Amino acid sequence: MTRETLKPASHENWLQMRSQDLTSTEISALYGISPYMTEFELWHQHKNDRITIIDDNERMLWGRRLQDTIAVGVSADQNWDVRPMDEYIRLPEHRLGSSFDFAIAEHAILEVKNVDSLQYRDGWLIEGDDIQAPAHIELQLQHQLLVSGRKEGYIAALVGGNRVTLIHRVADPAVHQSILNKAAKFWASIEANTPPSPNFVRDAEFIARLYNLAEPGKLLDASSDADITSMAKRDKELQEAGKRIDEERAEIKARLLMRIGDVEKVIGDGFSISAGVQGPTHIEAHDR
């Protein structure tokens, strides 16, 4: 298996390198488990030679800022020789490529995550000493092992800012073959111009962006198109129903506020209500 190891000259150069491959952060979309995009969106991004950029949220931003510190701490705890892995490696015949966080000596990969406690509780599988990262992260590491040729890797998660979970993984040939098969099918569909079916719920925002241009003056008479007519009528019904629901909720909220008065919290059979405004609380030399 041919591997190319490249050193990006700039951030823009790195983005351009990534655009020609399926990367470790994209591969989970082919399995329907990506939290960032669907296969339909990924297909159109690559078909149109657009660079996939995942917008940072605050957690992701701070995770990147802290990853060096986390890696230093983990390497000290484990007595590892760790270095930033700034190369971009690709398998050109499969159009798979990957960036990495850190290398442990010359045999392993270290993938660093900053995880808040609620995200860890709800998204990570914990059964005694057996801990599994979310599926897209597990797949990300296997993709990195496949592309790099390394035989083992670690996921180091700093949980809640004060506790490290360290997960050891070895290269899984069955998963690697699955990735190769998925990639081959994906690139063949690009060549054949046969996009995957969209998930209209998850892809709604992307489809709106994809078809956001209209030709001035162009008119479609859909009076004889049963599908368009049915969907348009249903959309109008839902708009009207949503308006009625909003109005009814506003009325109920007003009635509730009048009934409960200055009560801070109401509990009942199957419900609880917390008022959003509290009366003044006196603290010495300060009214809050």
Side-chain angles (χ1 to χ4, degrees):
M1 190 177 293
T2 303
R3 288 184 173 84
E4 293 179 353
T5 301
L6 308 172
K7 287 293 185 76
S10 63
H11 182 70
E12 291 70 23
N13 182 223
W14 172 71
L15 290 174
Q16 191 58 46
M17 289 179 182
R18 287 168 50 87
S19 69
Q20 61 188 331
D21 300 321
L22 284 168
T23 68
S24 57
T25 53
E26 294 175 333
I27 196 65
S28 58
L30 302 189
Y31 293 81
I33 57 174
S34 171
Y36 310 116
M37 70 183 73
T38 65
E39 183 179 0
F40 179 81
E41 180 174 357
L42 180 64
W43 190 94
H44 282 278
Q45 296 277 10
H46 279 289
K47 180 63 178 177
N48 297 316
D49 290 324
R50 295 177 181 172
I51 297 173
T52 302
I53 300 176
I54 300 171
D55 293 332
D56 275 349
N57 56 34
E58 193 168 20
R59 176 179 55 79
M60 293 168 64
L61 176 62
W62 278 101
R64 192 168 60 255
R65 288 170 173 169
L66 292 171
Q67 69 177 12
D68 288 349
T69 301
I70 297 170
V72 168
V74 170
S75 63
D77 292 343
Q78 302 296 322
N79 195 28
W80 285 340
D81 178 18
V82 171
R83 68 168 177 85
M85 197 170 176
D86 56 1
E87 56 263 47
Y88 181 82
I89 303 177
R90 64 188 305 262
L91 306 177
E93 67 268 39
H94 301 287
R95 294 190 64 183
L96 291 169
S98 185
S99 300
F100 311 87
D101 286 346
F102 299 90
I104 304 172
E106 295 304 318
H107 69 283
I109 290 169
L110 178 61
E111 179 67 24
V112 173
K113 303 295 181 185
N114 183 46
V115 186
D116 66 60
S117 56
L118 293 179
Q119 182 191 32
Y120 184 74
R121 182 196 68 186
D122 297 338
W124 296 57
L125 298 180
I126 307 166
E127 296 182 2
D129 294 332
D130 182 19
I131 301 175
Q132 297 181 37
H136 70 280
I137 295 176
E138 295 277 1
L139 190 61
Q140 176 186 13
L141 182 61
Q142 287 297 330
H143 180 284
Q144 291 172 340
L145 292 173
L146 167 62
V147 171
S148 68
R150 298 194 175 206
K151 300 304 181 184
E152 61 178 325
Y154 292 84
I155 301 169
L158 180 64
V159 182
N162 58 11
R163 175 165 57 97
V164 170
T165 290
L166 194 62
I167 301 174
H168 176 242
R169 292 289 182 259
V170 296
D172 188 323
V175 175
H176 293 183
Q177 188 59 54
S178 174
I179 292 172
L180 292 171
N181 293 343
K182 290 276 190 182
K185 184 178 178 181
F186 177 83
W187 291 119
S189 73
I190 293 283
E191 292 297 322
N193 196 28
T194 54
S197 299
N199 178 323
F200 285 107
V201 175
R202 289 194 63 193
D203 286 314
E205 184 178 340
F206 176 73
I207 290 172
R209 297 198 306 269
L210 190 63
Y211 296 96
N212 66 344
L213 296 178
E215 185 177 331
K218 189 174 182 178
L219 177 67
L220 172 63
D221 184 356
S223 56
S224 60
D225 189 316
D227 285 342
I228 292 180
T229 299
S230 175
M231 287 187 288
K233 287 183 176 179
R234 182 57 179 158
D235 181 61
K236 185 176 180 181
E237 290 171 359
L238 291 172
Q239 288 184 44
E240 293 173 349
K243 182 179 179 181
R244 290 194 299 271
I245 289 171
D246 289 343
E247 290 173 349
E248 185 175 354
R249 290 194 64 198
E251 177 187 352
I252 290 174
K253 180 178 180 180
R255 288 178 177 272
L256 279 170
L257 288 172
M258 287 187 68
R259 187 66 181 271
I260 68 178
D262 60 358
V263 174
E264 180 182 357
K265 189 175 183 67
V266 181
I267 59 173
D269 184 13
F271 72 89
S272 66
I273 302 171
S274 297
V277 180
Q278 299 180 19
T281 301
H282 179 71
I283 301 175
E284 184 177 355
H286 176 66
D287 283 331
R288 177 170 64 87

